[in-house]
Amino acid sequence: MTNIALVVGSSGITGSNLAEKLISKGWKTYGLARNPDKTNDNLHPIAADLLNPESLKTALADLAPTHIFFTSWMRNETEAENIRVNSAMVRNLLDVLSPKKSVQHVALVTGLKHYLGPFEAYTKAGTLPETPVREEHPRLEIENFYYAQEDEVYAAADRDGFTWSIHRPHTVIGQAVGNLMNMGTTLAVYASICKETGRPFTWPGSSAQWNGLSDVTDARILAEHLIWAATTPSAQNEAFNITNGEVFRWSWLWQQLATWFDIPARGFDGTIHPLEEEIAGDQETWKNIASRYNLKESNLDRLASAWHTDLDLGRPIEVMTDMSKSRKLGFTQYQSTKDSFFDLFEQLRKDRLIP
């Protein structure tokens, strides 16, 4: 039987890399987004609004997917609104597909906010977990839209009989334009601005993040993990952390990134220097850089998500994840974090998104 994948959020970092990987493995792959990417001839684009059930019914009328990969979310002003909107997106999609009885597995991508708390509670001491974080850690006693999304998947699975998997990456590194959480491209853009203006590549975050251990998740290894869980019976109906499989210190990696761009690095100096403030006045600078080097994107806000990078790098504790659960069940792939960043930088340069 042919596997028919529906990648929800196919234009984002996770979704676009997953779609490419599914296609390379012979899956018939559909990509759902409000403005789907049409550059991949082998990806069947579907334009739909997840908050509009009628829009979904029309868009999915002729599609009976076997596997759903949900990689999309929408940022709102409060966590209560995040819960209302993002749970509705999951619920609407699964409700529309329910009568078809075609879905065998649903994979949901969330993240480490499962353990750290939502954005508005991100660095409050009362919500800081013991690290490395493990899947068996209980839910926090605070509102969290990731929990609401999970609950929608669980309820639909009970109703429709499909299996599920939950995937919790830590800071996904990969390419996508217009993405809400994009540390790799944000740092590449910041480094390019520093090189052009002669400013030092200044560490924006906390002492704990500078000196402590951390990890990240390459979008390519996340794609492999999603497919593995969807096709491995022992991995179904489970939640998993997923990272590159190594740990590092930003005090080491920051200099590596600066060296790649051939710029001076400035480490932690006792003060947090939020990146959002650092590049707040660089809209015109980036337009000039884009013009000078004939880049494809002149809108700084389409490439850089400084607010999210500040949240990650400003945490008051070191944060890394335990990967034992996946390892025990057979997922043994590994990715060098330095290569994750360098591969991304090379791709951004090749695609004329950075000079």
Side-chain angles (χ1 to χ4, degrees):
M1 181 178 178
T2 301
N3 287 324
I4 303 173
L6 176 62
V7 179
V8 182
S10 57
S11 60
I13 295 177
T14 298
S16 59
N17 280 274
L18 173 61
E20 288 184 9
K21 186 64 67 174
L22 287 164
I23 291 166
S24 73
K25 293 178 179 289
W27 290 53
K28 188 170 185 179
T29 306
Y30 293 81
L32 188 152
R34 280 175 293 179
N35 298 296
D37 180 13
K38 297 182 180 179
T39 60
N40 188 335
D41 293 338
N42 295 310
L43 177 64
H44 305 281
I46 297 176
D49 180 358
L50 288 164
L51 293 175
N52 185 333
E54 292 305 316
S55 166
L56 285 169
K57 286 179 183 178
T58 300
L60 300 173
D62 299 322
L63 179 62
T66 58
H67 294 72
I68 308 298
F69 298 93
F70 203 99
T71 73
S72 182
W73 77 288
M74 187 178 297
R75 187 187 183 196
N76 297 275
E77 289 298 319
T78 66
E79 193 60 17
E81 191 66 3
N82 275 333
I83 290 170
R84 185 188 69 81
V85 170
N86 289 287
S87 62
M89 289 163 60
V90 176
R91 182 172 61 254
N92 290 343
L93 177 73
L94 297 180
D95 284 354
V96 166
L97 291 174
S98 180
K100 299 176 183 286
K101 306 300 181 185
S102 65
V103 177
Q104 300 171 17
H105 185 85
V106 172
L108 173 67
V109 178
T110 61
L112 292 201
K113 288 189 295 299
H114 184 94
Y115 309 110
L116 299 172
F119 292 126
E120 59 196 42
Y122 219 31
T123 58
K124 293 180 181 177
T127 64
L128 299 180
E130 180 183 21
T131 60
V133 293
R134 295 177 171 85
E135 293 91 343
E136 63 265 27
H137 283 186
R139 289 182 174 184
L140 302 171
E141 294 297 325
I142 53 177
E143 291 185 322
N144 192 320
F145 81 86
Y146 282 168
Y147 304 162
Q149 286 185 309
E150 284 186 0
D151 289 343
E152 294 294 345
V153 171
Y154 301 152
D158 288 342
R159 178 190 66 200
D160 297 333
F162 56 73
T163 59
W164 52 266
S165 56
I166 309 297
H167 303 257
R168 299 169 185 160
H170 182 190
T171 308
V172 179
I173 306 300
Q175 184 181 343
V177 175
N179 193 269
L180 287 174
M181 300 187 294
N182 197 338
M183 178 190 285
T185 301
T186 298
L187 293 181
V189 167
Y190 174 47
S192 299
I193 291 172
C194 289
K195 185 166 188 175
E196 193 70 15
T197 61
R199 285 147 50 184
F201 188 55
T202 301
W203 169 252
S206 67
S207 172
Q209 281 292 295
W210 178 253
N211 294 306
L213 292 172
S214 191
D215 50 22
V216 297
T217 307
D218 191 300
R220 297 167 297 186
I221 207 165
L222 175 53
E224 293 283 7
H225 194 252
L226 283 157
I227 298 169
W228 165 77
T231 57
T232 303
S234 61
Q236 293 166 1
N237 300 332
E238 297 285 351
F240 296 102
N241 296 329
I242 170 61
T243 62
N244 283 355
E246 64 162 14
V247 294
F248 64 89
R249 297 185 198 277
W250 278 105
S251 57
W252 167 80
L253 185 59
W254 196 250
Q255 181 60 60
Q256 302 295 314
L257 304 186
T259 298
W260 195 93
F261 284 94
D262 192 25
I263 54 177
R266 178 181 291 169
F268 182 70
D269 62 4
T271 303
I272 291 178
H273 301 278
L275 190 57
E276 195 165 24
E277 294 178 9
E278 180 68 21
I279 66 172
D282 284 322
Q283 295 284 357
E284 198 62 31
T285 301
W286 186 254
K287 286 182 181 178
N288 292 335
I289 291 172
S291 176
R292 182 174 302 117
Y293 295 99
N294 193 29
L295 304 183
K296 289 182 178 178
E297 182 56 67
S298 62
N299 184 347
L300 181 61
D301 291 337
R302 290 269 298 156
L303 294 172
S305 53
W307 68 274
H308 181 260
T309 297
D310 284 339
L311 283 170
D312 273 8
L313 300 185
R315 295 168 180 158
I317 57 169
E318 64 177 12
V319 179
M320 83 292 294
T321 59
D322 181 80
M323 281 284 292
S324 300
K325 187 174 182 180
S326 290
R327 299 293 186 238
K328 287 180 179 179
L329 291 174
F331 185 81
T332 58
Q333 296 199 35
Y334 162 88
Q335 169 67 40
S336 160
T337 291
K338 185 170 70 171
D339 289 348
S340 291
F341 280 95
F342 290 1
D343 289 352
L344 171 62
F345 297 162
E346 289 170 3
Q347 188 65 47
L348 292 170
R349 185 166 282 174
K350 178 182 176 183
D351 292 344
R352 301 206 331 273
L353 290 169
I354 62 171

